[in-house]
Amino acid sequence: MRRHLLEAADLDRADATLVLDTAAQIDAALAGREVKKLPTLRGRTVVNLFYEDSTRTRISFELAAKRLSADVINFSAKGSSVSKGESLKDTALTLEAMGSDAIVVRHSASGAPHRLAHWVRGSVVNAGDGTHEHPTQALLDAYTIRHRLGRLEGVRVAVVGDVLHSRVARSNVRLLHTLGAEVTLVAPPTLLPVGVGSWPAEVSYDLDAVLPKADVVMMLRVQAERMAASYFPSAREYSRRYGLDARRMAALGDDAIVMHPGPMNRGMEIAAEVADSVRSTIVEQVGNGVSVRMAVLYLLLGGAPS
Amino acid sequence: MTVLIRGARPYGEDAADILLRDGHVAAVGGSLSAPDAEVVDAAGLVALPGLVDLHTHLREPGREDAETVETGSRAAALGGYTAVHAMANTDPVADTAGVVEQVWRLGQQAGLVDVVPVGAVTVGLRGERLAELGAMADSAARVRVFSDDGMCVADPALMRRALEYVKALDGVVAQHAEEPRLTTGAQMHEGDRSARLGLTGWPAAAEEAIIARDVLLAGHVGARLHVCHVSTAGSVEILRWAKSRGVQVTAEVTPHHLLLTDECAEGYDPVFKVNPPLRTDADVAAVRRGLAEGVIDAVATDHAPHAVEDKESEWAGARPGMLGLEQALSVVVATMVETGLLDWRGVADRMSVRPAAIGRLETHGRPLAPGEPATLLLLDPAARAVVDPAALASRSRNSPYAGRELPGRVVHTFLRGVPTVTDGKATR
């Protein structure tokens, strides 16, 4: 493993598989235990540096670090983002001086974790940067798929929704490709980036054509405010063309699963009966997130001396 | 003051002596003698007319921590420049006779290059109503180039009026071609790399749409239009078409758009953030070809100094722009001369003669010939050096060429017979 986890491309197939295998071992080790805690990172300090609100991701990382017995500091820098307040560099140097071993960073600017990695000696974990990447989300998604379907090689994954603005989509395309899955992106053309043709993924505008062949349907959150910028005409039309409802779910193969990184817009990109169905892995993904983040922190920090 | 330059190669051609006396070239020829002259050994050096920059940000007044007229003038002289056009986006904006005269006077005091102020087209660069263009033209600064650079004059009716109005001033509107509705939040060239890096794209069409509109307007009203920092292959095509139709349009390209591509955005180092953004290999090839053919008239630096804290941040939070004055000629040597696209006469034409004509500077861009102003530079084309930002004369350090080896070293610069650079060092 490299020192940082900044984007999915930092992981080759062996590294990515190691993270998933380590997460599985952690799950097995903690299964049935009353005290869900390992001593691995005792004495290490992990800082959650969040420039954007994301309660679920922060809590997931916090729990992961605590279950590895690390000391955890939550540094909420919301509002002090781009060109306001203390600079990212000064914050980085401050945290460095306080002896942080790893910084988990969420930032509204794409590439902020890359800049941070230039300025600190410890490890940097990208917990979501702008519209760039969210690599631990992709890892937990891959872990969930492998757990449910037993494999990743050759698995056909449809990623549906606002690909243009989605860091989840970017990380998943890269990581799933690395792990041998076949990704098809499904969205209206307005929500696909110019240049998507260079990605290792198929592209379709037609959800109904893709669903029968999909082993996994990953629904992305679509923000209603995209309407204001004319990415699509109305929530209703979006939902009709690209939402996953019970009728569409019926077109899926018997073993196909439905995923969502959350938070969901029920009734927009996903119908309630789909989100709550047996195919849905949405709650499972949350639990897997903790295990995968434990694996990432363990692999980045576990071997190195403090 | 009399200077005898021995053995220089005017325009890279046969070696000759050049005698400078009382601010003018007194003679050019073999084995000149002048007992009273200070002798400069220029064996192997290429002599060119002093360079003219149509596009410089000197930051004064307002951001003297990033650059001043004096430090920018020194950087310019070291780059072989003898005249620079100081852009209007200062604080306060150069939209009145008072501000342009202030900048002009600061340039006179620095005394290293002729600092020629550019006047804003609209009040406060806000794109709402015309600034007092006539007052700036009639001021001591004699403004002829008007630009809202950094902002596009996006309103087509206002642009039309500006083009028409400056005809009476023998002026030209220099447009920053960027359709703002197509570049909201834009961070880099829109293409494969922006898609992957998750940085909002700046589409080539946003530049080309404005250039297409403006050449039609300039043709319609019979006015002069200058297009700033052309960056795309499509822009070159539109300019070629407009020129073939007889539109009075000129255009410039920056050194960085001749050399660098959007590949530089990998790693998210904001030193490579610039507006318009670095484009693709195909665009670089097209702007080089356009410059070689003369479809693009001039190289202009868009020298944009920024304080460290304005660049040492996340990409989206950083200001766009990069330094250019001290390396411009070297980049042109690397991209245009060493590639065989331009000879030294071509370099003189694109970096001195044509920009001087566009800016209506009568005493710049003149031939190296008796009776002409002694405004020239001597370049060692064989020298190669690695760019060290800490060694630059600019007050800022945001050079995109840091660590890059570039050819050519300006050894001497003369402004009306007075040395401004001697042995690679500024004289004041």
Side-chain angles (χ1 to χ4, degrees):
Chain A
M1 288 274 287
R2 300 184 183 197
R3 181 152 57 97
H4 309 294
L5 179 58
L6 303 177
E7 53 190 41
D10 290 343
L11 302 168
D12 61 17
R13 193 164 185 160
D15 287 337
T17 304
L18 178 63
V19 173
L20 303 187
D21 291 347
T22 304
Q25 285 165 15
I26 288 169
D27 265 352
L30 292 178
R33 278 223 221 166
E34 206 158 282
V35 180
K36 293 190 185 303
K37 205 151 180 159
L38 300 171
T40 323
L41 296 186
R42 185 178 292 152
R44 301 303 195 85
T45 303
V46 175
V47 178
N48 287 322
L49 176 60
F50 275 56
Y51 285 85
E52 273 187 343
D53 270 340
S54 175
T55 308
R56 59 174 60 219
T57 303
R58 184 183 56 73
I59 287 176
S60 182
F61 270 106
E62 184 173 353
L63 205 51
K66 283 180 171 167
R67 284 190 179 165
L68 292 168
S69 304
D71 295 320
V72 181
I73 294 164
N74 289 313
F75 189 114
S76 172
K78 188 178 171 275
S80 57
S81 60
V82 181
S83 75
K84 271 183 276 177
E86 188 178 53
S87 75
L88 181 64
K89 182 178 183 180
D90 288 334
T91 304
L93 298 180
T94 300
L95 298 176
E96 178 87 357
M98 289 176 179
S100 69
D101 297 293
I103 298 176
V104 176
V105 61
R106 162 69 66 103
H107 202 289
S108 61
S110 299
H114 294 69
R115 300 302 294 152
L116 202 59
H118 272 277
W119 299 318
V120 298
R121 282 189 298 273
S123 292
V124 174
V125 179
N126 182 359
D129 62 327
T131 55
H132 177 226
E133 288 221 18
H134 192 358
T136 60
Q137 176 72 42
L139 283 165
L140 77 88
D141 289 338
Y143 183 82
T144 304
I145 295 169
R146 193 176 76 165
H147 189 246
R148 275 289 188 112
L149 303 182
R151 66 198 164 92
L152 284 160
E153 181 71 38
V155 169
R156 292 164 299 186
V157 182
V159 177
V160 186
D162 186 357
V163 174
L164 177 63
H165 299 98
S166 177
R167 48 195 170 210
V168 175
R170 281 176 181 76
S171 285
N172 263 301
V173 166
R174 175 58 57 181
L175 185 76
L176 288 171
H177 174 72
T178 299
L179 289 167
E182 295 162 19
V183 179
T184 301
L185 299 166
V186 186
T190 46
L191 293 178
L192 292 164
V194 167
V196 73
S198 65
W199 293 8
E202 299 292 311
V203 172
S204 172
Y205 308 139
D206 184 352
L207 180 57
D208 289 312
V210 171
L211 286 178
K213 291 171 283 183
D215 301 308
V216 176
V217 186
M218 186 181 295
M219 303 304 296
L220 302 173
R221 175 179 171 80
V222 174
Q223 292 174 313
E225 50 271 29
R226 301 290 176 214
M227 266 186 304
S230 288
Y231 286 103
F232 49 87
S234 70
R236 191 174 301 168
E237 171 148 329
Y238 181 86
S239 187
R240 266 200 308 270
R241 293 177 67 85
Y242 295 100
L244 189 60
D245 57 12
R247 178 185 65 81
R248 285 206 166 102
M249 187 168 66
L252 289 171
D254 291 343
D255 299 325
I257 58 173
V258 175
M259 308 181 73
H260 195 298
M264 287 180 283
N265 291 311
R266 287 175 183 249
M268 176 78 172
E269 72 268 6
I270 190 164
E273 62 255 64
V274 177
D276 300 331
S277 74
V278 291
R279 293 181 187 277
S280 166
T281 64
I282 294 164
V283 177
E284 198 176 322
Q285 284 168 266
V286 176
N288 291 340
V290 179
S291 310
V292 163
R293 286 169 180 133
M294 286 174 77
V296 167
L297 291 172
Y298 168 75
L299 290 169
L300 290 178
L301 296 180
S306 61
Chain B
M1 182 167 190
T2 304
V3 177
L4 178 58
I5 299 168
R6 281 238 181 262
R9 296 191 293 132
Y11 306 101
E13 294 160 7
D14 294 340
D17 296 347
I18 307 170
L19 183 65
L20 315 181
R21 179 170 284 150
D22 301 330
H24 286 80
V25 176
V28 180
S31 305
L32 300 178
S33 70
D36 58 329
E38 189 177 314
V39 175
V40 172
D41 176 15
L45 305 186
V46 172
L48 298 172
L51 307 182
V52 175
D53 193 13
L54 281 167
H55 196 146
T56 316
H57 296 276
L58 294 178
R59 300 293 185 227
E60 187 175 7
R63 283 307 297 267
E64 291 82 355
D65 58 324
E67 196 79 287
T68 63
V69 172
E70 185 189 337
T71 59
S73 292
R74 194 168 294 123
L78 287 165
Y81 285 90
T82 50
V84 298
H85 286 76
M87 273 297 172
N89 62 340
T90 48
D91 182 13
V93 171
D95 58 0
T96 62
V99 178
V100 294
E101 286 194 347
Q102 180 195 354
V103 171
W104 178 75
R105 288 214 173 82
L106 288 166
Q108 296 282 303
Q109 283 164 22
L112 285 157
V113 293
D114 285 344
V115 173
V116 184
V118 173
V121 177
T122 68
V123 175
L125 309 174
R126 281 193 295 272
E128 292 164 358
R129 59 194 176 87
L130 292 183
E132 289 193 347
L133 309 182
M136 291 188 274
D138 294 340
S139 74
R142 292 186 68 249
V143 176
R144 293 293 178 271
V145 180
F146 298 91
S147 182
D148 277 2
D149 181 59
M151 309 293 286
C152 180
V153 181
D155 179 338
L158 187 61
M159 184 61 182
R160 176 207 165 134
R161 296 291 176 237
L163 287 166
E164 285 178 309
Y165 194 81
V166 301
K167 285 166 68 176
L169 313 174
D170 194 25
V172 63
V173 176
Q175 175 73 295
H176 171 111
E178 174 182 1
E179 166 51 55
R181 288 285 294 141
L182 291 174
T183 55
T184 307
Q187 298 294 329
M188 69 173 292
H189 172 68
E190 184 166 45
D192 292 353
R193 285 209 167 81
S194 64
R196 187 162 44 74
L197 294 172
L199 291 170
T200 305
W202 200 127
E207 173 174 310
E208 295 154 6
I210 292 293
I211 297 176
R213 181 199 77 176
D214 287 354
V215 297
L216 293 172
L217 288 172
H220 180 59
V221 302
R224 283 209 293 148
L225 167 71
H226 179 72
V227 182
C228 295
H229 40 51
V230 166
S231 70
T232 79
S235 298
V236 178
E237 285 311 299
I238 294 163
L239 289 165
R240 194 190 313 275
W241 174 84
K243 287 189 165 190
S244 76
R245 305 251 305 194
V247 175
Q248 298 179 68
V249 60
T250 56
E252 70 190 34
V253 61
T254 69
H256 46 272
H257 287 110
L258 288 171
L259 182 65
L260 306 174
T261 68
D262 63 347
E263 186 180 2
C264 295
E266 306 271 355
Y268 297 94
D269 183 346
V271 79
F272 298 108
K273 179 175 172 177
V274 65
N275 190 12
L278 301 174
R279 304 281 185 187
T280 67
D281 287 323
D283 293 306
V284 167
V287 294
R288 287 184 187 184
R289 212 163 41 240
L291 183 65
E293 292 171 18
V295 172
I296 296 174
D297 302 82
V299 174
T301 64
D302 198 1
H303 177 82
H306 284 300
V308 171
E309 64 272 20
D310 289 329
K311 278 292 191 184
E312 214 167 49
S313 69
E314 58 277 16
W315 182 280
R319 288 174 189 262
M322 39 183 66
L323 299 184
L325 284 170
E326 292 172 73
Q327 271 68 49
L329 183 52
S330 289
V331 171
V332 170
V333 172
T335 59
M336 301 299 294
V337 178
E338 293 188 344
T339 55
L341 288 166
L342 275 187
D343 59 14
W344 292 108
R345 287 213 178 251
V347 173
D349 184 67
R350 308 298 196 275
M351 298 188 80
S352 178
V353 178
R354 288 214 220 180
I358 293 165
R360 298 293 194 246
L361 306 181
E362 288 87 5
T363 62
H364 289 270
R366 302 298 305 168
L368 297 174
E372 297 289 351
T375 297
L376 70 155
L377 72 96
L378 297 169
L379 175 84
D380 179 357
R384 301 187 76 90
V386 175
V387 178
D388 173 14
L392 297 176
S394 170
R395 187 161 279 185
S396 291
R397 296 288 167 258
N398 56 307
S399 171
Y401 312 114
R404 210 177 260 270
E405 189 185 270
L406 291 172
R409 172 174 174 261
V410 173
V411 185
H412 300 277
T413 310
F414 296 90
L415 175 62
R416 289 182 288 274
V418 177
T420 55
V421 172
T422 298
D423 294 327
K425 300 215 163 40
T427 55
R428 54 192 290 184

